[in-house]
Amino acid sequence: EKASNQASLDQATAIREKQLAAFNAEEKDLLESISALKAAITVLSKHHGGSLLQVSRSKLLAVAATLQHELQKHGAVLDGALTRSERRLAAAFVQAPADYFDAAPTFKQSYAPQSGEIFGILRQMKETFESNLGASQKEEMASQKAYGELKAAKEQEIAAGQEQLDTKSGELADTDAKNA
């Protein structure tokens, strides 16, 4: 019984370590994504405020690259957060970011959505990631608490088993002495 309890505790510990490693990786990934989206939003907010010519082409390309990377990396997470039209808009922006921010309208821009929509998509993605991060952190805290309770219970069972083993060993020694 003691060995069985120890094996159960070891198995639970191994599972908990895997869960913690997965959570840490997910948390790091989401924090990096949130940080990248905040930087992209900052770049676009300067532009969105009306200073059309102040956003350099390299910054726009960096925002487009960030958007593309996050859409690919977190496609499953964003499925419920972004509509099909928002995904198409984001894909179009990634293909030609300058068309959304040129000071003089181009042919493409005449039917292209405004830069504010891209700004909104980035903000929505950031909020989705922050929400998922919060949910993951709550789930991790619950898992941590459950593991702590399980560990305490198993350690208590192991201690009780050891105490019973010591008692039985003492009784056996006494019995053997009386028999001798």
Side-chain angles (χ1 to χ4, degrees):
E1 188 177 318
K2 180 184 165 203
S4 172
N5 284 333
Q6 186 62 49
S8 294
L9 179 59
D10 292 344
Q11 183 181 12
T13 300
I15 290 170
R16 180 69 194 118
E17 288 171 356
K18 286 179 185 177
Q19 288 175 338
L20 182 60
F23 167 75
N24 287 336
E26 180 184 8
E27 182 181 46
K28 179 183 175 194
D29 186 41
L30 284 173
L31 287 172
E32 288 172 355
S33 294
I34 290 168
S35 177
L37 289 170
K38 280 181 182 177
I41 289 169
T42 299
V43 167
L44 289 187
S45 67
K46 291 177 185 174
H47 165 76
H48 193 63
S51 53
L52 296 171
L53 298 174
Q54 291 182 359
V55 178
S56 71
R57 180 168 173 77
S58 63
K59 287 183 180 178
L60 285 177
L61 292 175
V63 169
T66 297
L67 180 59
Q68 181 180 25
H69 175 74
E70 297 306 329
L71 284 171
Q72 289 174 348
K73 191 175 190 180
H74 298 288
V77 172
L78 296 171
D79 275 347
L82 297 178
T83 65
R84 190 175 291 158
S85 64
E86 288 172 330
R87 283 184 176 274
R88 280 195 301 265
L89 173 65
F93 172 73
V94 167
Q95 292 298 315
D99 289 345
Y100 290 81
F101 298 97
D102 283 344
T106 63
F107 173 73
K108 290 180 187 175
Q109 196 178 25
S110 65
Y111 63 86
Q114 296 298 312
S115 63
E117 292 180 57
I118 298 297
F119 184 71
I121 289 170
L122 290 172
R123 288 182 55 212
Q124 186 176 357
M125 288 172 63
K126 181 178 126 329
E127 289 170 5
T128 299
F129 292 161
E130 288 171 340
S131 170
N132 284 0
L133 177 61
S136 291
Q137 288 171 335
K138 286 179 185 175
E139 186 179 313
E140 169 60 18
M141 287 173 49
S143 294
Q144 204 171 26
K145 181 180 177 187
Y147 171 73
E149 291 170 355
L150 175 72
K151 183 178 178 185
K154 286 296 177 184
E155 286 175 343
Q156 197 172 26
E157 289 175 13
I158 290 169
Q162 182 63 44
E163 185 178 314
Q164 188 177 20
L165 184 64
D166 292 343
T167 302
K168 295 291 182 184
S169 294
E171 289 175 5
L172 179 63
D174 289 345
T175 305
D176 285 346
K178 286 180 184 175
N179 281 340

